[in-house]
Protein backbone atom coordinates (compact mmCIF):
# COMPACT_ATOMS: atom_id res chain seq x y z
CA UNK A 1 0.00 0.00 0.00
CA UNK A 2 1.13 3.54 -0.68
CA UNK A 3 -0.10 6.66 1.06
CA UNK A 4 0.49 10.36 0.67
CA UNK A 5 1.13 12.82 3.46
CA UNK A 6 -0.33 16.12 2.39
CA UNK A 7 1.54 18.92 4.16
CA UNK A 8 0.18 22.48 4.22
CA UNK A 9 1.86 25.64 5.47
CA UNK A 10 0.00 27.27 8.37
CA UNK A 11 0.52 30.37 10.51
CA UNK A 12 -0.22 28.63 13.83
CA UNK A 13 0.09 24.85 14.01
CA UNK A 14 -1.73 24.54 17.36
CA UNK A 15 -4.69 26.64 16.12
CA UNK A 16 -5.01 24.70 12.87
CA UNK A 17 -4.55 21.42 14.71
CA UNK A 18 -7.44 22.26 17.05
CA UNK A 19 -9.60 23.44 14.10
CA UNK A 20 -9.19 20.21 12.10
CA UNK A 21 -9.75 18.05 15.17
CA UNK A 22 -12.97 19.97 15.84
CA UNK A 23 -14.11 19.59 12.22
CA UNK A 24 -13.51 15.83 12.29
CA UNK A 25 -14.99 15.35 15.78
CA UNK A 26 -11.73 14.11 17.24
CA UNK A 27 -10.65 14.48 20.86
CA UNK A 28 -8.59 17.61 21.35
CA UNK A 29 -4.88 16.93 21.70
CA UNK A 30 -1.77 19.00 21.07
CA UNK A 31 0.51 18.59 18.06
CA UNK A 32 3.78 16.74 18.67
CA UNK A 33 5.79 19.89 17.94
CA UNK A 34 5.14 23.64 17.86
CA UNK A 35 6.14 23.72 14.17
CA UNK A 36 4.59 20.47 12.91
CA UNK A 37 1.59 18.29 13.62
CA UNK A 38 -0.23 15.36 12.04
CA UNK A 39 -3.99 14.97 12.04
CA UNK A 40 -4.53 11.21 12.35
CA UNK A 41 -7.55 9.02 11.75
CA UNK A 42 -8.57 6.62 14.51
CA UNK A 43 -6.52 3.85 12.85
CA UNK A 44 -3.37 5.99 12.77
CA UNK A 45 -3.62 6.96 9.10
CA UNK A 46 -2.26 10.46 8.48
CA UNK A 47 -5.07 12.66 7.17
CA UNK A 48 -3.15 15.94 7.01
CA UNK A 49 0.16 17.41 8.14
CA UNK A 50 0.41 20.99 9.36
CA UNK A 51 3.76 22.75 8.98
CA UNK A 52 4.49 26.23 10.28
CA UNK A 53 5.50 28.70 7.60
CA UNK A 54 9.20 29.57 7.47
CA UNK A 55 10.48 26.80 9.76
CA UNK A 56 13.24 24.60 8.35
CA UNK A 57 14.48 24.86 4.79
CA UNK A 58 11.50 23.63 2.74
CA UNK A 59 11.33 26.08 -0.19
CA UNK A 60 7.57 25.85 -0.82
CA UNK A 61 6.88 26.38 2.90
CA UNK A 62 9.25 29.31 3.36
CA UNK A 63 6.86 32.24 3.09
CA UNK A 64 3.08 32.52 2.71
CA UNK A 65 3.52 35.83 0.85
CA UNK A 66 5.01 34.05 -2.21
CA UNK A 67 1.56 32.85 -3.28
CA UNK A 68 -1.99 32.71 -2.08
CA UNK A 69 -2.29 29.81 0.44
CA UNK A 70 -3.98 26.91 -1.25
CA UNK A 71 -3.57 28.15 -4.82
CA UNK A 72 -3.92 25.01 -6.91
CA UNK A 73 -4.85 22.85 -3.92
CA UNK A 74 -8.18 21.36 -2.88
CA UNK A 75 -8.20 19.50 0.44
CA UNK A 76 -10.83 16.79 -0.08
CA UNK A 77 -11.93 14.64 2.85
CA UNK A 78 -14.46 11.81 2.83
CA UNK A 79 -16.25 11.32 6.14
CA UNK A 80 -18.54 8.62 7.51
CA UNK A 81 -20.42 11.11 9.72
CA UNK A 82 -21.41 13.74 7.14
CA UNK A 83 -24.34 15.31 9.02
CA UNK A 84 -22.35 15.61 12.25
CA UNK A 85 -19.37 17.05 10.36
CA UNK A 86 -21.67 19.61 8.75
CA UNK A 87 -22.91 20.69 12.20
CA UNK A 88 -19.33 21.03 13.44
CA UNK A 89 -18.39 23.00 10.31
CA UNK A 90 -21.18 25.51 10.98
CA UNK A 91 -19.74 26.03 14.47
CA UNK A 92 -16.26 26.71 13.04
CA UNK A 93 -17.00 29.19 10.24
CA UNK A 94 -19.39 32.08 9.68
CA UNK A 95 -20.39 30.74 6.28
CA UNK A 96 -19.74 27.75 4.06
CA UNK A 97 -18.03 28.21 0.69
CA UNK A 98 -20.43 25.69 -0.85
CA UNK A 99 -23.71 24.70 0.75
CA UNK A 100 -24.44 20.99 1.16
CA UNK A 101 -25.42 19.52 -2.20
CA UNK A 102 -25.40 16.28 -4.13
CA UNK A 103 -22.42 15.96 -6.44
CA UNK A 104 -23.84 14.50 -9.67
CA UNK A 105 -20.45 13.02 -10.63
CA UNK A 106 -19.90 11.03 -7.44
CA UNK A 107 -23.50 10.70 -6.23
CA UNK A 108 -22.44 11.81 -2.75
CA UNK A 109 -23.33 14.80 -0.61
CA UNK A 110 -20.66 17.40 -0.06
CA UNK A 111 -19.98 20.93 1.20
CA UNK A 112 -16.98 23.23 1.34
CA UNK A 113 -15.48 25.67 3.82
CA UNK A 114 -12.22 27.57 4.41
CA UNK A 115 -9.80 26.67 7.17
CA UNK A 116 -8.09 29.32 9.36
CA UNK A 117 -5.31 29.79 6.77
CA UNK A 118 -7.68 30.15 3.82
CA UNK A 119 -7.33 26.65 2.39
CA UNK A 120 -10.40 25.36 0.57
CA UNK A 121 -11.69 22.25 2.35
CA UNK A 122 -14.23 19.98 0.64
CA UNK A 123 -16.07 17.45 2.79
CA UNK A 124 -17.82 14.55 1.07
CA UNK A 125 -20.02 11.81 2.47
CA UNK A 126 -18.43 8.38 2.43
CA UNK A 127 -21.02 6.27 0.63
Amino acid sequence: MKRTWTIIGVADVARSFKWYQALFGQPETRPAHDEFGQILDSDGTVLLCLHQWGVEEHPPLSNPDHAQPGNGLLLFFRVDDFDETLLRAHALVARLEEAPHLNPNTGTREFALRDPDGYYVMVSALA
Side-chain angles (χ1 to χ4, degrees):
M1 173 161 298
K2 295 173 178 58
R3 299 192 188 272
T4 62
W5 281 11
T6 301
I7 302 172
I8 59 172
V10 299
D12 183 331
V13 171
R15 177 189 68 178
S16 294
F17 202 80
K18 183 176 179 177
W19 190 90
Y20 278 99
Q21 285 179 324
L23 178 64
F24 296 137
Q26 298 174 328
E28 188 176 322
T29 60
R30 300 236 351 115
H33 308 281
D34 291 338
E35 304 87 19
F36 184 81
Q38 294 177 323
I39 302 297
L40 304 175
D41 202 351
S42 58
D43 66 0
T45 300
V46 175
L47 299 173
L48 184 65
C49 299
L50 308 169
H51 194 294
Q52 185 174 335
W53 286 110
V55 174
E56 298 180 12
E57 299 295 324
H58 302 305
L61 296 171
S62 65
N63 187 330
D65 296 328
H66 290 172
Q68 198 62 1
N71 184 37
L73 174 71
L74 171 64
L75 296 173
F76 190 94
F77 297 99
R78 309 233 20 229
V79 298
D80 57 5
D81 61 345
F82 183 86
D83 293 325
E84 292 84 1
T85 304
L86 179 59
L87 289 173
R88 294 189 298 265
H90 280 297
L92 290 169
V93 296
R95 71 174 182 83
L96 297 176
E97 293 292 315
E98 287 186 41
H101 62 280
L102 183 66
N103 181 324
N105 297 320
T106 63
T108 58
R109 295 186 303 154
E110 60 188 35
F111 67 89
L113 67 163
R114 296 274 180 177
D115 82 354
D117 289 277
Y119 290 100
Y120 196 88
V121 178
M122 179 68 71
V123 177
S124 175
L126 186 60

